[in-house]
Structures are given as structure tokens and as C-alpha cells.
Amino acid sequence: MDMAMELRHLRYFIAVAEERHITRAAERLGMQQPPLSQQIKAIERELDVQLFVRKARGVELTDAGRAFLEEARATLNQLDRAFETTRRASRGEQGRLCVGVTSTTPFHPLVPRAIRAFREACPMVSLTLEECLSNESVDRLRNEQMDVAFIRASSGDGRGLVVNALLEEPMVVALPSTHILAQGKPETTVSLERLARETFILYGPPGTGMYDSTIAACQAAGFSPRVGNLGASTQLAPRITSTLSLVGAGLGITFVPSSLQRMNMEGVTYRALKGPNRPKATLRLASRRGDHSAVVKQFINFVRKEANDFAAK
């Protein structure tokens, strides 16, 4: 018998065993009683055992029949689980997902909100987060070491990737709390031109979102940022936390996305920027072009929905 016949025979047998009556089992299965009797006899011939004792008012299971019932139920339950697992995987509700984040993206409320919504809707997906710079995320995506990534950079040539801009937010200047521009009311704004002679602490290497945004904003305001040095090395901080620590120590200033104001660092004060060339930070979601993973598609859909909802507020 092929698999379809075997599964159908198991369901016939279970129905008779549970109803203890062939006619009632036939009604339950939506078939006539004689064909069902023939199918049960065919199973007994196939197994070369007697599964039922026929009585005037129905049937009773033999010891062999009770053993077969237990195994038949287990087999169908296992198949049902396999079918449901396959369906969940097809819908993107089961599997694995590696999500990259830079050190600034988790501070935007969209990112934790989208991840939380996805996890609540798809608890069977094993989701892991990896923190790295935008350019590192791009490399890991291309090398299939990561599935999707929240980034700030535009990803350069975008080779092999799909990069969706989700939201824009203004950038603010992070100042040492002792700085003269940090004095006054919290709503005090600072023009870019006032920062022309300041020492900048740049975050990450060229090609990362915050580095490029800082350079572009200063050049648009008519100056190139003066980058601080420690000894013979240019002041480049690998992570935003180290950047702000250096600001708090009075070694310079930096631009950060406005959502970073959630990070309260000792000795750091944030001020909004003013003027026609105020820099903005773009939150983006990158994935591999042509990735057919249902889990990845499901996650991207969740992020887009949350981004649309966030922008509408």
C-alpha cells in the first residue's frame, strides 16, 4: 500500500476502535458500512492479526488491537505535528533568524517594538541579535552569517542587498556638561557654525552611518570637522558608548541620533541643532537580495508595519 492508503487505513481503524461499532464509525467517516468492514479486514490480513472481536452489539479490541491503537494514534499525532511544523515554516512562523543591530539602532523605539511584536506573533522562531557596525553588518549579510540588519549607513553600492529606509530622525550634538554651549535651558539650540572650532570625536570608521553623517553635516555648514587626537592616533571610537564616554571626559563633542538622548551618560549634555543644514540619521533595514526565507520575509513585513504605524503617530 502507498502512504496515502496506509494513513487512511489508520484513520479507519481508529474510528472503529473509538466507536466500538462499525456502523457508527462509518457514519463518522462519511462512508458506507460494508466498505469500512472490508477495509478493517484488509488491515487484519496485512498485519496477519485479529484486531477486533465481533459481537452482536459492536466490536471490542483484542490485545493486539489495543497495542495497534496506541501506535496508530502516535503515528497520526506525529504526522500532524510534522504537517503543522511544515506549515508554520512556510508561513515564516518557525525557524531561525539572526538580526544585526548597530550600537545606536536599538535606542530608536521602533527597533525593540518591531522585535517584540515579531517574537509575540512568532514564538517558534529562534531569534538572535548581534551587535556590530553598519559596514560589518553588510559584510555578514553578504556572507550569509546574518539574515537582516538594522543599519544607519546606506550600505555603499548595495551589491547583493535590499536596503529599505524606515525612518529619519534629527541628530543632536552631545557636549561635555561643562561646555559653555551646554549651559542654559535644555531647549537651547546650537547652530552648526558655532561648532566649527570644536574638537569632534568620530564614531566608527568611514563608511559607517554616524561617521559619514557627521562629516557631511559639517561640510554642508562650511567647515571640515577637527578630529581630536590621542598621541599619534585620530580620535575614532568603535562604539557609541565609548564615544559618549570620551565626550563626558571633556575630550570633544559628537553628533548622535536624537533617540540616543535616552542614554544618560555622566558628564554628557545633549542639545538640538538649528540651521538649514541640520543633519539627520536614517534608520534602515538591510537584507539579502533574493533571500527566499519565509522567516526573513515575515520579519521584514513586521518591521515595515511597525515603521508605518510609528510614522503615522
Side-chain angles (χ1 to χ4, degrees), residues 9-17 40 51-52 61 65 68-69:
H9 279 190
L10 289 180
R11 291 190 172 92
Y12 291 163
F13 165 74
I14 291 173
V16 174
I40 296 301
L51 299 173
F52 295 101
L61 287 166
F68 188 55
L69 177 60

Side-chain angles (χ1 to χ4, degrees), residues 93-297:
E93 297 172 0
Q94 184 164 335
R96 295 180 178 275
L97 185 71
C98 181
V99 179
V101 294
T102 69
S103 59
T104 67
T105 53
F107 287 92
H108 195 292
L110 169 65
V111 175
R113 186 179 302 178
I115 292 174
R116 182 169 59 251
F118 178 78
R119 289 181 64 90
E120 290 174 353
C122 306
M124 302 295 289
V125 174
S126 175
L127 188 149
T128 57
L129 293 176
E130 290 190 12
E131 181 185 333
C132 49
L133 298 174
S134 289
N135 57 342
E136 294 172 343
S137 294
V138 167
D139 290 339
R140 293 188 187 187
L141 282 171
R142 287 176 175 151
N143 295 330
E144 299 188 6
Q145 297 172 324
M146 188 177 286
D147 299 307
V148 292
F150 291 98
I151 62 175
R152 295 286 189 181
S154 61
S155 81
D157 61 10
R159 175 175 47 86
L161 300 179
V162 177
V163 181
N164 293 303
L166 300 173
L167 294 169
E168 272 191 345
E169 60 178 315
M171 296 183 74
V172 298
V173 60
L175 302 158
S177 296
T178 56
H179 196 288
I180 188 172
L181 295 177
Q183 310 308 309
K185 298 180 179 180
E187 60 270 21
T188 302
T189 57
V190 177
S191 67
L192 285 170
E193 290 74 15
R194 286 285 305 274
L195 305 176
R197 296 186 178 181
E198 297 293 334
T199 298
F200 280 77
I201 301 171
L202 298 184
Y203 158 64
T208 55
M210 296 303 96
Y211 182 102
D212 292 349
S213 295
T214 299
I215 298 295
C218 293
Q219 290 178 345
F223 68 95
S224 295
R226 184 174 64 181
V227 182
N229 291 283
L230 286 180
S233 62
T234 300
Q235 190 66 47
L236 289 175
R239 295 289 186 271
I240 195 64
T241 49
S242 53
T243 302
L244 293 176
S245 293
L246 294 173
V247 172
L251 298 179
I253 69 172
T254 194
F255 293 153
V256 297
S258 59
S259 56
L260 261 291
Q261 296 178 86
R262 298 166 178 265
M263 182 183 289
N264 294 318
M265 296 284 290
E266 182 70 26
V268 177
T269 297
Y270 302 98
R271 288 289 182 262
L273 295 165
K274 63 181 179 180
N277 300 308
R278 287 173 292 176
K280 293 183 179 181
T282 303
L283 180 64
R284 298 177 169 91
L285 184 68
S287 60
R288 277 187 302 280
R289 188 178 302 278
D291 192 333
H292 300 294
S293 167
V295 174
V296 171
K297 292 178 182 178

